[in-house]
Amino acid sequence: MRMALLALLVLLPGSAFAGPAEDLKSGARTECRGCDLSNQSFKKANLAGVDLSGANLSGTTFHRANLKGANLSNVLAEGANFNLADLGSADLSGGHFKDAMFYEAQLSGAKLAKADLSATRMQHARLTGADLSGADLDWAVMKEVRLNNANLTDASMERTNLEKASVGRSKFDGTTITSAGFLEVSAPGASFKDATISLTDFYGAELNNANFAGATLSDNRFTRAKLKLEQFADTTFTRNILPDGRVQGTQ
Amino acid sequence: MQLRLLPFCLGLVGALAAMPPALAQFDVNLVPKYTIWDIKFGEPISQIPPEEVAEIACGTNGGPPSTPLKDFAEFARCPAEPTGLHEVFFTNDDEADYIAKALEAEYRVMQGGTSIYAHPVVFSVLIDAEGIVRGIRIVTDERAADRERRVAMTLSRNLKSRYGRWAQACENLPPTDGQLPVGKIFVHEICTADSPEGDARMRLEATYFRKKGQTSINLETQTINKNYFQSATRLEVVQKPYEPDTRPVR
């Protein structure tokens, strides 16, 4: 009997022993909920539509991978590499992505609600129409991202760098923005209703028709920003540097 | 190691140590695992590990890529050249480059891209109808910045040295068809050689001149014409009996 079992094991195809990572790459399986896939390489892999919800993806590389429509909700993916990955319409909500990289990644239409995106590197990423409501974007580097029509309601943005980003018509309603960089952002029609914004630099930002109703703005710099002072009519506005360089409250 | 390089190395190690955990994936050895020099002639194209290259597309005689390909197995989608070989463009694996970009690494050497001897280049592999690799083509990238393009011709010196064991016969061609020197420099050199084993042939062409019409000054506006010159290096190595393509560098 033991010999028969041994023979069976020898005769079984190698794929029968392949780990979940290999099975996902080959397409043999399309879900791996809660799996430990940490420190694996899925470089250039086609993982469109896979369900990896709750998986451990820490330190894993998805460089140039296709994750279109994938379910990565509630994953632990600290320090993961998503550079150049296609995450269009993927679900990353509730995930932990601290220190992860999304350089030039495609995240348009992605669900990132309540995700921990602190200290991520997202330069040049495309996030058009993404849902980032309640997300933690503290210390995230988001230079030159395309973030138009995105929802950042109630997000946390402490020291977030959005230099030269395009955030037109995006919602920052109720968002806490502290010591952040909005230098030369293009934000026409953006909504900052009821947001708390302090010590943030809007130098040269395009803020035409941006809505600041109910917002609390203190110690920010709006030098050379394109906006009208009437846009601050319904705000709590203290110690800010105005677009013409004057400090509020001084002659 | 020279002492003056010590601060650089210490700085590099320090910078790497201070970076996020993602850098654990960073290969401090800056040379890609697989390069064009690893390609073996006479073996199937499947020898190139797909995960070790980034983009694959049909080639355009050393120019920018055309039709994108999923993998090298699709080489037949690229039209055959007069020699019957299919040119497939590819780029080096860029995982480390993009980690460096994401981390805004100070050292541009980490963002090398597809280059050899620090020159941005276009790589192509030449494949016969049976899917066997018969040659390689390396041409300096015309899309490079002005400063890099200006020195593109100097890559030929590195390549001459690389093929130093091959008995090279070099010829300096005179200006033709309205070609002019850039300042006082005119280079149009073609070197050919057979491998020591006699199974392969190479052709190396270096050019540095102004083509007809590429004047240094616009006589109407009296302004300097920037970037009006040809500077390129083109290397082709093929397995015999195939011959290197002699079509001119565009």
Side-chain angles (χ1 to χ4, degrees):
Chain A
M1 182 64 181
R2 271 187 294 180
M3 288 301 287
L5 274 172
L6 190 64
L8 185 66
L9 284 169
V10 170
L11 292 171
L12 271 171
S15 60
F17 298 105
E22 296 307 315
D23 287 346
L24 286 163
K25 277 188 262 190
S26 67
R29 65 189 288 183
T30 56
E31 63 75 31
C32 203
R33 290 185 287 269
C35 293
D36 182 2
L37 298 167
S38 57
N39 300 306
Q40 299 283 334
S41 177
F42 290 98
K43 188 158 72 174
K44 295 176 76 178
N46 184 4
L47 300 169
V50 297
D51 183 356
L52 301 176
S53 53
N56 182 357
L57 308 175
S58 293
T60 294
T61 182
F62 293 94
H63 179 81
R64 284 186 183 271
N66 180 2
L67 286 154
K68 213 179 281 185
N71 185 353
L72 276 70
S73 58
N74 301 306
V75 296
L76 177 64
E78 293 186 354
N81 177 356
F82 293 96
N83 294 338
L84 294 170
D86 187 347
L87 289 144
S89 302
D91 185 356
L92 291 83
S93 55
H96 300 272
F97 297 95
K98 187 173 182 288
D99 289 324
M101 294 177 289
F102 292 89
Y103 193 99
E104 246 178 76
Q106 173 58 270
L107 286 148
S108 294
K111 300 179 187 77
L112 293 142
K114 295 188 176 169
D116 177 5
L117 295 161
S118 57
T120 48
R121 319 288 299 193
M122 306 181 89
Q123 301 98 315
H124 300 276
R126 295 180 198 172
L127 288 139
T128 307
D131 179 8
L132 289 141
S133 55
D136 183 351
L137 290 158
D138 295 352
W139 293 86
V141 181
M142 303 178 77
K143 291 180 188 173
E144 299 184 53
V145 293
R146 292 186 193 173
L147 196 60
N148 301 302
N149 288 309
N151 181 7
L152 291 102
T153 304
D154 296 323
S156 175
M157 299 181 75
E158 183 185 344
R159 294 188 182 270
T160 308
N161 189 343
L162 277 156
E163 186 178 340
K164 292 183 181 170
S166 185
V167 300
R169 296 176 301 284
S170 285
K171 283 186 183 175
F172 294 86
D173 299 348
T175 302
T176 304
I177 303 172
T178 312
S179 302
F182 278 64
L183 280 91
E184 298 181 39
V185 293
S186 173
S191 175
F192 294 90
K193 283 194 278 186
D194 301 317
T196 304
I197 308 172
S198 60
L199 296 160
T200 293
D201 197 346
F202 287 91
Y203 182 92
E206 287 180 38
L207 292 161
N208 321 40
N209 301 315
N211 188 347
F212 289 93
T216 303
L217 305 167
S218 59
D219 304 292
N220 302 296
R221 181 167 82 142
F222 289 95
T223 309
R224 300 179 77 91
K226 289 178 186 164
L227 55 81
K228 292 176 181 160
L229 289 178
E230 296 87 81
Q231 288 173 241
F232 297 131
D234 300 326
T235 63
T236 306
F237 196 69
T238 48
R239 296 185 305 276
N240 296 288
I241 300 176
L242 303 174
D244 61 5
R246 283 182 299 132
V247 179
Q248 187 190 2
T250 63
Q251 292 301 312
Chain B
M1 183 191 297
Q2 290 181 27
L3 275 177
R4 63 199 166 113
L5 287 178
L6 195 59
F8 171 81
C9 295
L10 288 173
L12 188 61
V13 170
L16 296 178
M19 285 173 177
L23 207 67
Q25 304 161 17
F26 197 96
D27 186 0
V28 182
N29 179 10
L30 300 169
V31 179
K33 278 186 207 163
Y34 191 89
T35 74
I36 195 163
W37 308 120
D38 297 316
I39 293 174
K40 292 182 178 67
F41 296 172
E43 292 191 11
I45 189 59
S46 56
Q47 68 177 286
I48 302 178
E51 69 278 7
E52 297 302 339
V53 297
E55 291 174 56
I56 306 170
C58 290
T60 56
N61 190 22
S66 66
T67 312
L69 303 178
K70 278 185 186 169
D71 54 47
F72 286 104
E74 293 185 332
F75 72 90
R77 289 179 60 197
C78 307
E81 295 185 343
T83 55
L85 299 176
H86 301 263
E87 181 189 8
V88 178
F89 161 100
F90 68 95
T91 59
N92 277 345
D93 175 34
D94 53 5
E95 185 181 354
D97 294 3
Y98 275 87
I99 292 173
K101 283 182 182 181
L103 299 175
E104 295 175 357
E106 183 182 347
Y107 304 104
R108 280 190 60 81
V109 67
M110 290 177 173
Q111 303 176 17
T114 300
S115 62
I116 51 169
Y117 301 106
H119 291 270
V121 290
V122 172
F123 287 148
S124 303
V125 59
L126 304 169
I127 307 161
D128 72 12
E130 277 70 50
I132 306 298
V133 174
R134 298 298 181 192
I136 57 168
R137 180 177 290 158
I138 300 170
V139 183
T140 45
D141 195 341
E142 292 283 311
R143 299 165 296 177
D146 182 30
R147 185 173 157 275
E148 287 164 330
R149 213 170 73 74
R150 193 169 286 276
V151 296
M153 175 268 296
T154 62
L155 174 62
S156 65
R157 297 175 196 160
N158 301 94
L159 294 173
K160 268 190 199 176
S161 174
R162 183 174 189 96
Y163 288 90
R165 285 202 314 125
W166 298 33
Q168 296 172 27
C170 295
E171 182 186 8
N172 282 303
L173 303 181
T176 58
D177 192 26
Q179 293 168 351
L180 291 167
V182 182
K184 291 181 179 176
I185 304 170
F186 179 92
V187 177
H188 191 178
E189 185 184 48
I190 296 174
C191 296
T192 53
D194 286 348
S195 65
E197 296 77 23
D199 58 346
R201 176 161 290 177
M202 66 88 97
R203 182 179 187 274
L204 177 63
E205 183 173 9
T207 50
Y208 187 68
F209 52 72
R210 292 190 196 279
K211 289 190 279 193
K212 188 178 181 181
Q214 290 186 324
T215 52
S216 57
I217 293 175
N218 185 325
L219 294 175
E220 289 182 12
T221 62
Q222 293 297 310
T223 53
I224 294 170
N225 286 329
K226 285 183 81 176
N227 233 346
Y228 274 39
F229 60 88
Q230 156 98 24
S231 175
T233 294
R234 177 192 176 99
L235 172 73
E236 196 160 319
V237 188
V238 291
Q239 192 177 27
K240 286 183 178 177
Y242 292 98
E243 289 289 331
D245 197 328
T246 56
R247 285 178 287 174
V249 176
R250 293 175 306 152

